Amino acid sequence: MQTFLGVPAPLLFGQLLIGLINGSFYALLSLGLAVIFGVLNIINFAHGAFYMVGAFAGWMLLNYLGIGYWPALILAPLIVGAIGIVIERSLLSRLYDLDHLYGLLLTFGLAMIIEGVFINFYGVSGQPYAPPQALSGGYNLGFMFLPAYRGWVVVASLLVCFGTWLLVERTQLGAYLRAAVENRELVRAFGVNVPLMMTLTYGFAVALAGFAGILAGPVYTVSPVMGQNMIIVVFAIVVIGGMGSILGSIVTGIGIGLVEGLTRTFWPEASSTAVFVIMAIVLIIRPHGLFGRPRE
Amino acid sequence: MSEAVVHSTPKPNRRAVGWILAAIGLAILLVAPFLGIYPIFLMKLMCFALFAAAFNLMLGYVGLLSFGHAAFFGMSAYVAGHAVKVWGVGTILGIAGGTLAAAIMGVVFGAIAIRQRGIYFAMITLALAQMVYFFCLQAPFTHGEDGIQGIPRGSVFGLVNLHDPLAMYYFVAAIFLAGYLIIYRTVNSPFGEALKGIRENEPRMISLGYPVARIKVAAFTISAALTGLAGATKAIVFQTATLTDVHWHMSGEVVLMTLIGGMGTVFGPVVGAGVIIALQNYLATIGSWVTVVMGTIFVVCVLTFRRGIVGELQSRLKLFG
C-alpha cells in the first residue's frame, strides 16, 4: 500500500476529502457572514441556526410533503431567505443606528430561540436525510474512493461561492453593495434604495447558509445543534480571512477545511483546535486577517 | 455601549444613598440564609453575580464585549477541583490556584485579543475560549464528558468545616464581598477613570500618553482573575467542574445577566444574575424551553430595554430626583 509520511495514502486522501467537504460548508457560511458584515455591519450570530433551518427545511419538505432533494435544494434556501427577510425588517433594521454589539447580541438571542424550538421538537440526536438516487454511488479514483454525493457537494458549493463573488465584484448591483459598505449616505443620495438593498442582502446571505444546510443534510445528520458546532469555527475563519473580505472568506474556508483534514490524519486530537491556533497566530502577525485591510 | 452609563460625579447625597444601599445589601447578605431561601441557590447566585460583575468590568467600563469569559470561569473550576480533589491541597489554596490560572490565561488572551475592538474583539475572545473548550474536552485531568465529580469542600485552615451549609454560605459570601470590593475599587480609581476614558475616546487617551494597550490588558486580567475566583468557588460549592462551565453558552449567559441587569452599573450584574438564576430555577420544569425563554429575553432586552433594570432605574431616578 502507498504511504505518505508514514500514513497510508487512502487514509490521507480520505481525510483531505472530508476536509475539502467541511471546507466547502465553511466557505459558504463564512461568505454569507462576510457579506452581512460588509453591508449591514452586523455579526450574524444566528447564521449557524439558519444553516440548521436549511437542513431541517429539506428534511421536512421530504418527510411531511414528500418533496424530494432537487426541488428542496431550491426551496430550502428560499424558505430560509424569506425568514431572514422577515427578521431583518422586523428586528435588525431597528438596530442600525446603535453600537454594532447590539446586532451580535440580538442575533445571539435569535439563535437561542430558533435552536431551542427545534431541540424541543426534535431532540439533539440527528435525523437521517438520504442523498438523492442520482448521487448515491461513487467513483474509484485509483488512490481513493469518492462518493458521488460528496463530490457534488464540493462542486455545488464552489459554483455558488464563485457566483456570489462574481455578483459582488463584477456587477452593477455588487458595485452598489460595495459602495454602500464605504458610504451608505452617498449611495442613498444616488437614488439607490439602501434599506431594500440591506434587506435583500441579509435574505440572500442567510439563504446561502440555508443552501449549505441542505447540502450538508445527507453528509451529516440533520440535527438542531449542527449549526452551533459549526458557527464558532466559521467565526474564527472570518477572523483569519479578514472581516468583510469575500475572497478571503472563500479561500480561508476551504483552506481551514483542508488543514483540519491534515491535522486529523497526523494528530487527531488537535484537529478541532487547529483552526483556533491558526487564528491566534494570524492575529499576532496580521491583526486584520490574511485578506483584510487594516482598519481605521 | 456607553449609553447605559450615568456620567455624573457623585454628589454628597448621592454618595450617602450609595452607602445606605450598600449597608442594606450587606445586611441582606448576612441574614439571607435565615430567610428560608435555599442556601445552594444563594451561593450559586453569589458566584454568578461575581462572574457577571467581573465580566461587566470589561463590557461596562472598557466597552469591550468578551464572548469568551466561560473559558476563565470553567478552567478555574477545573484547576481548583483537580487541586483540591487529586492533589489534596486546602480549599483556599485550590481556589487561589484556579484564580491564578484564570489570571495567567487573562494575560495571554488579553494580549492577543486587545489589538481588536468591538465585534472583532468579541469574536476573537469567543474563538480563543473555544480553544480552551476543546482542550478541556480532551485533557485527561478534566475527565471529558464526566467532568470532575465529588470535589471535597474541605475546611478553611482546618478551623471551619465547609461541609456545614451555613459555614459554606458565609465563606462564599466573604469571597463574593472581597471580589466585589476589588471591582468597586478598580472602577472608582484613577485606573478606572482611565478605563472609562478609553471607552469614551480611545485615540484621545493614546494622545494623552496613556499606555492604552497595557491598561486594557491589565483590566482584562483583573476581569479574568475575578471570573476565575467565581468559577473556582462555584466548583467548591457544587463539588463539580464540568464542560458546561467552559461552553460558550456560559459566556452567552453572563452577557445576558449583565445586559438585563444594566451594563456599566455597579449593581446591575448582581440583579441580572439574580433574575437569570431565579428564572432557571423556577422554569426548570419546562425543560429546554428555558433556552427559548432566555433567547426571547435577550431579543427583548436588545430591542427595548438596553439600559437594563438598574440602568433604567438610575436614569429614572435622575429624571425625577
Side-chain angles (χ1 to χ4, degrees):
Chain A
M1 189 185 280
Q2 291 169 286
T3 61
F4 184 77
L5 292 175
V7 172
L11 174 67
L12 176 67
F13 288 117
Q15 291 293 5
L16 279 180
L17 175 67
I18 295 175
L20 189 60
I21 289 165
N22 288 339
S24 308
F25 296 131
Y26 294 159
L28 276 173
L29 291 176
S30 57
L31 174 64
L33 274 181
V35 170
I36 293 174
F37 179 76
V39 179
L40 285 80
N41 234 325
I42 279 180
I43 287 290
N44 189 31
F45 219 111
H47 217 64
F50 285 121
Y51 163 78
M52 178 271 290
V53 171
F56 260 101
W59 183 88
M60 287 169 158
L61 286 171
L62 181 69
N63 284 278
Y64 299 150
L65 303 174
I67 295 172
Y69 177 84
W70 296 110
L73 198 60
I74 307 293
L75 285 174
L78 286 179
I79 294 169
V80 174
I83 298 172
I85 284 176
V86 171
I87 286 176
E88 197 279 341
R89 275 294 83 203
S90 57
L91 304 174
L92 287 175
S93 58
R94 296 163 191 267
L95 299 177
Y96 293 142
D97 298 331
L98 301 171
D99 194 296
H100 308 325
L101 294 176
Y102 288 112
L104 186 150
L105 294 177
L106 182 91
T107 49
F108 178 77
L110 275 178
M112 283 174 87
I113 297 174
I114 298 171
E115 282 168 353
V117 167
F118 274 88
I119 288 173
N120 278 294
F121 284 112
Y122 297 98
V124 285
S125 56
Q127 313 280 343
Y129 184 65
Q133 205 66 49
L135 296 172
S136 55
Y139 310 99
N140 190 349
L141 302 180
F143 55 90
M144 66 174 292
F145 180 77
L146 174 69
Y149 186 75
R150 296 177 177 230
W152 153 249
V153 165
V154 175
V155 173
S157 10
L158 284 181
L159 281 177
V160 170
C161 284
F162 182 67
T164 308
W165 177 81
L166 275 183
L167 184 73
V168 175
E169 301 288 339
R170 292 284 181 272
T171 64
Q172 184 68 41
L173 181 67
Y176 285 141
L177 277 180
R178 281 176 288 129
V181 173
E182 299 293 332
N183 190 336
R184 215 173 277 169
E185 289 311 310
L186 191 69
V187 175
R188 190 180 308 218
F190 275 110
V192 178
N193 187 341
V194 173
L196 178 69
M197 193 167 80
M198 289 165 85
T199 307
L200 292 179
T201 304
Y202 191 76
F204 174 74
V206 300
L208 280 182
F211 179 72
I214 183 158
L215 271 187
V219 180
Y220 314 115
T221 54
V222 177
S223 142
V225 292
M226 63 193 287
Q228 297 184 358
N229 304 330
M230 199 77 156
I231 190 70
I232 315 284
V233 177
V234 175
F235 277 169
I237 287 168
V238 172
V239 171
I240 296 169
M243 298 273 338
S245 163
I246 304 276
L247 186 65
S249 59
I250 300 173
V251 174
T252 317
I254 291 168
I256 289 295
L258 290 174
V259 169
E260 275 186 351
L262 277 178
T263 327
R264 215 176 295 113
T265 317
F266 294 103
W267 190 16
E269 295 81 13
S271 63
S272 42
T273 323
V275 55
F276 304 113
V277 176
I278 294 174
M279 184 203 69
I281 296 170
V282 168
L283 281 177
I284 291 169
I285 302 169
R286 274 176 77 92
H288 47 273
L290 294 178
F291 294 81
R293 286 169 304 167
R295 293 178 304 270
E296 292 169 58
Chain B
M1 310 221 96
S2 51
E3 65 163 272
V5 185
V6 182
H7 298 279
S8 60
T9 45
K11 295 179 195 109
N13 62 339
R14 195 168 281 270
R15 176 163 291 180
V17 170
W19 280 113
I20 294 166
L21 280 178
I24 294 172
L26 190 65
I28 293 176
L29 192 69
L30 287 176
V31 301
F34 303 104
L35 298 178
I37 310 171
Y38 193 44
I40 285 276
F41 172 78
L42 290 172
M43 289 190 266
K44 184 179 183 185
L45 176 60
M46 286 190 283
C47 291
F48 277 96
L50 181 58
F51 182 12
F55 166 81
N56 184 42
L57 190 60
M58 288 310 288
L59 178 61
Y61 294 95
V62 198
L64 287 172
L65 170 63
S66 159
F67 232 107
H69 258 51
F72 311 124
F73 189 74
M75 191 51 138
S76 169
Y78 276 125
V79 171
H82 186 76
V84 170
K85 189 186 175 189
V86 180
W87 295 339
V89 307
T91 309
I92 300 250
L93 217 60
I95 291 178
T99 309
L100 181 69
I104 294 169
M105 280 166 65
V107 177
V108 177
F109 284 18
I112 295 174
I114 227 79
R115 303 163 67 138
Q116 308 280 348
R117 261 179 282 154
I119 24 190
Y120 308 91
F121 181 82
M123 291 173 69
I124 290 154
T125 46
L126 176 62
L128 286 171
Q130 203 61 6
M131 200 154 104
V132 174
Y133 176 79
F134 283 116
F135 171 78
C136 291
L137 187 64
Q138 283 163 349
F141 83 99
T142 59
H143 302 286
E145 305 278 350
D146 299 333
I148 303 180
Q149 309 279 346
I151 300 165
R153 279 186 180 173
S155 63
V156 182
F157 303 126
L159 294 173
V160 184
N161 181 6
L162 291 178
H163 288 94
D164 171 35
L166 204 61
M168 188 70 211
Y169 173 82
Y170 284 113
F171 178 66
V172 176
I175 290 177
F176 169 73
L177 272 182
Y180 225 80
L181 275 179
I182 294 175
I183 292 168
Y184 185 80
R185 279 314 307 154
T186 307
V187 171
N188 294 292
S189 69
F191 179 75
E193 293 304 320
L195 291 182
K196 290 171 214 163
I198 293 171
R199 180 190 65 199
E200 298 308 326
N201 192 338
E202 190 169 335
R204 184 179 63 196
M205 293 300 280
I206 294 173
S207 55
L208 283 173
Y210 281 89
V212 165
R214 251 188 301 158
I215 293 175
K216 282 202 226 167
V217 175
F220 196 73
T221 308
I222 297 172
S223 172
L226 290 172
T227 300
L229 181 65
T233 311
K234 185 194 162 256
I236 301 294
V237 170
F238 286 91
Q239 304 186 277
T240 55
T242 60
L243 285 173
T244 329
D245 300 336
V246 255
H247 197 265
W248 60 267
H249 278 167
M250 185 63 83
S251 301
E253 237 166 67
V254 79
V255 181
L256 182 53
M257 287 174 188
T258 311
L259 189 67
I260 197 173
M263 54 182 121
T265 62
V266 176
F267 293 109
V270 182
V271 175
V275 171
I276 297 300
I277 300 289
L279 273 180
Q280 284 176 342
N281 249 37
Y282 296 116
L283 294 182
T285 45
I286 61 170
S288 41
W289 284 108
V290 174
T291 324
V292 182
V293 174
M294 299 280 179
T296 312
I297 298 177
F298 235 117
V299 171
V300 171
C301 269
V302 170
L303 285 177
T304 61
F305 197 55
R306 279 182 287 276
R307 275 195 280 246
I309 297 170
V310 173
E312 203 71 42
L313 280 176
Q314 277 184 354
S315 72
R316 293 272 162 88
L317 287 178
K318 210 168 67 165
L319 219 63
F320 300 116

